[in-house]
Amino acid sequence: MSAPDSPVILPGATLGVLGGGQLGRMFAHAAQAMGYFTAVLDPDATSPAGRISHQHIRSGYSDAHGLAELARVCAAVTTEFENVPAASLNQLAQTLPVAPAGSAVAIAQDRAAEKAHFVRCGVPVAPHAVIETPEQLAAVPADLLPGILKTARMGYDGKGQVRVKTLEELAQAWDELGRVACVLEKMLPLAHECSVIVARGRDGQIVHLPVQRNLHRDGILAVTEVYEGNLPLAQAQQALEAAKSVAEGLQYVGVLCVEFFVLQDGSLVVNEIAPRPHNSGHYSQNGCDVSQFELQVRCMTGLPLVQPRLHSASIMLNLLGDLWFTHGDTAQTPAWDQVLALPGCHLHLYGKAQAQRGRKMGHLNITATTAEQARATALQAAAIVGIEAF
């Protein structure tokens, strides 16, 4: 990333994003609303972000010609997902500001490196062991079981994870995962999950969104609730301070999501980080005066960071492709007209060409004056389209 005294990049410039998914699309919308032009690098001709951006560079994320073209047309570049090659970010950073830096993304790509970073930052993590060799497998202590074996790289939304109860199951699971580098995490008695989104500028200033209470199903975020009292104050403050510590330890520039497990005794452990805007922060588009995507734009351009304010109790419902198949095997558009008849409902669809089961197709933000009103409306909306809400 460029030095703290780098000039501010004002509207009228072109901002680039590696990745053409829904997060890139929402980043582009935010940047365009602020007066920037946008360029997307993604190999998919029908990518959600590529379809709405001013320029779509159709190439792979490691393609030298594509990266050179992105660097040529852009004043700064960001990424919308953590599995973009860190080397590509490093290459772009030789000639223009890149946020987040390749070094931070590389840590987020590797669970073992991620866990080590958490330990260095002094934030609580679940008991765990790194397994890269048969010797390390043989040395795993029995008190880490039952646990979850996770591939160190390329795992997301519950993929690359196996629950194991015994040392024999652990060995079998490692074989099934191809004996790739893994992290075994002890299963802990969970109460629920939460996350914090922070934004850190070039000058080290940090602002944050409110702490988000999350519900996952099958490893995929289903519901986020944000309102005063969604978590005990001390718990929320602990999560916020831990997230800031993680960002500071990385000397991070950009938007960072830190996910936590809340244990039944009320304590917190850090689960993982996402070096980008996050599903659990989507409510900020309608519930806050500054969204996570505007924060992403401000970070990469050197614009001032202002502390976002939550102006409405908010609930986000994730919309998976399954909703299009509630009446059979032929895709049918859900009754969005009935949903949008409810007060405070804000529909965000990602422009994906085809609905598929398990595919993230959009999200629904519900805002209201009180948490009770937001929950009541969310339950109504969920019933209309067939979502299991809470």
Side-chain angles (χ1 to χ4, degrees):
M1 183 65 202
S2 56
D5 59 354
S6 296
V8 172
I9 300 168
L10 293 174
T14 297
L15 304 181
V17 58
L18 286 167
Q22 62 263 21
L23 296 175
R25 180 185 179 96
M26 288 180 275
F27 159 77
H29 279 148
Q32 291 167 7
M34 296 171 69
Y36 292 96
F37 296 92
T38 58
V40 170
L41 188 149
D42 188 282
D44 182 1
T46 62
S47 68
R51 296 173 83 172
I52 60 92
S53 196
H54 296 97
Q55 298 183 58
H56 181 187
I57 300 169
R58 289 179 56 190
S59 76
Y61 305 121
S62 297
D63 180 75
H65 295 293
L67 292 170
E69 177 64 9
L70 190 69
R72 185 186 71 80
V73 301
C74 292
V77 170
T78 188
T79 180
E80 66 119 27
F81 71 122
E82 57 267 45
N83 287 329
V84 66
S88 297
L89 296 173
N90 293 336
Q91 177 182 330
L92 290 166
Q94 294 176 14
T95 56
L96 77 167
V98 174
S103 57
V105 172
I107 288 176
Q109 290 174 345
D110 188 314
R111 290 188 189 276
E114 191 178 55
K115 286 285 193 290
H117 177 71
F118 296 155
V119 172
R120 286 194 299 272
C121 292
V123 298
V125 297
H128 63 279
V130 176
I131 300 175
E132 298 175 325
T133 66
E135 291 75 21
Q136 288 175 318
L137 176 68
V140 169
D143 62 3
L144 282 184
L145 299 171
I148 303 178
L149 185 67
K150 302 179 179 181
T151 56
R153 300 181 64 84
M154 302 301 288
Y156 63 96
D157 286 346
K159 298 178 176 65
Q161 301 184 14
V162 182
R163 296 190 177 210
V164 293
K165 297 178 181 178
T166 65
L167 293 172
E168 290 75 16
E169 287 183 4
L170 173 61
Q172 181 180 349
W174 193 48
D175 281 339
E176 291 173 355
L177 292 173
R179 294 197 165 200
V180 297
C182 289
V183 174
L184 174 68
E185 297 178 12
K186 182 179 178 65
M187 289 186 66
L188 300 172
L190 300 186
H192 53 86
E193 299 179 47
C194 69
S195 59
V196 178
I197 289 174
V198 298
R200 186 175 184 273
R202 300 174 187 172
D203 59 359
Q205 181 190 5
I206 294 183
V207 298
H208 61 88
L209 293 178
V211 179
Q212 297 132 189
R213 180 174 176 135
N214 302 322
L215 171 65
H216 288 75
R217 291 197 180 94
D218 300 323
I220 300 176
L221 181 66
V223 184
T224 293
E225 299 180 82
V226 186
Y227 42 79
E228 187 174 351
N230 63 341
L231 271 75
L233 183 60
Q235 202 175 76
Q237 191 62 33
Q238 182 187 355
L240 178 59
E241 292 305 319
K244 288 181 177 179
S245 178
V246 170
E248 291 283 7
L250 291 169
Q251 290 295 290
Y252 195 83
V253 176
V255 170
L256 177 73
C257 180
V258 184
E259 298 181 74
F260 298 86
F261 293 134
V262 182
L263 306 186
Q264 290 178 4
D265 64 3
S267 62
L268 296 174
V269 295
V270 180
N271 176 26
E272 60 187 10
I273 58 174
R276 52 169 171 79
H278 190 262
N279 210 167
S280 65
H282 289 344
Y283 72 93
S284 64
Q285 293 170 303
N286 302 108
C288 296
D289 59 353
V290 181
S291 76
Q292 63 173 342
F293 300 102
E294 181 175 336
L295 290 175
Q296 187 179 21
V297 174
R298 286 173 177 254
C299 287
M300 68 187 295
T301 58
L303 288 173
L305 294 180
V306 294
Q307 177 59 43
R309 293 175 297 173
L310 182 73
H311 55 66
S312 300
S314 302
I315 293 176
M316 188 281 299
L317 302 180
N318 211 7
L319 305 175
L320 299 182
D322 306 66
L323 301 181
W324 277 251
F325 298 96
T326 55
H327 302 294
D329 294 332
T330 302
Q332 297 183 36
T333 301
W336 301 129
D337 55 334
Q338 297 179 39
V339 170
L340 292 173
L342 301 173
C345 282
H346 313 270
L347 180 63
H348 299 263
L349 295 179
Y350 302 151
K352 295 185 178 180
Q354 189 172 1
Q356 298 175 11
R357 297 180 190 277
R359 189 182 197 191
K360 293 177 181 177
M361 298 298 294
H363 63 272
L364 186 69
N365 288 337
I366 297 100
T367 56
T369 304
T370 67
E372 292 75 19
Q373 290 173 340
R375 288 178 66 90
T377 302
L379 287 171
Q380 285 182 276
I384 290 170
V385 295
I387 299 175
E388 182 186 354
F390 305 104

